[in-house]
Amino acid sequence: MIEQVPGSASGADALALDLTRVTGRFARVAGRVAGGGYSLIAWRVLAELEHSGAARISSLAHQQRVAQPSMTGLVQRLESEGWVSRSPDPDDGRATLVSLTPAGQIALDEYRSKAADRVRPHLEALSEFDRATLARAAELMQQLGDRIDDPSG
């Protein structure tokens, strides 16, 4: 339910708050699947590497809002699984870049498939109209995410 934000000239403020709240909760609920003992942050790191390519540990820590030593530990764990690899940063020999490996892509795909399996029966219980509405909403959320993530503004 969208609530009007006091002093808001339009419903855009309330919608922005609701989308942030609802999509965050949906991701957490759908993501509660057998994830092999890994946190949602681990899966988000793999997804970020898939989306944006290689990154420094410091960048990953900043994106996920965790301390750099925590991210270093997570990357070490993901590396021990063969899901990420580290290589020297060509721009700074002191730094390393973390990259998604093919095994990491497979693990991420399997995790997403398990999450989709959790959601699917609930989608099937909806009307065709509601499923079409959600399909359109998913397209719009992708567009919004791309715009928000675009550094050019």
Side-chain angles (χ1 to χ4, degrees), residues 85-135:
S85 62
R86 290 194 260 188
S87 60
D89 184 338
D91 296 330
D92 182 350
R94 300 167 296 167
T96 61
L97 293 176
V98 179
S99 300
L100 185 65
T101 65
Q105 184 66 62
I106 290 168
L108 181 59
D109 291 346
E110 288 174 355
Y111 171 78
R112 287 175 173 157
S113 179
K114 288 176 186 175
D117 288 346
R118 183 161 188 208
V119 173
R120 186 175 301 105
H122 302 283
L123 289 175
E124 290 170 350
L126 297 176
S127 70
E128 186 65 35
F129 176 80
D130 285 346
R131 284 194 302 275
T133 300
L134 285 173

Side-chain angles (χ1 to χ4, degrees), residues 11-12 27 30 33 40 48 53 71 96 122-123 129 136 140:
V33 296
L40 289 177
E48 178 61 29
M71 184 57 67
T96 61
H122 302 283
L123 289 175
F129 176 80
R136 179 64 181 135
L140 291 171

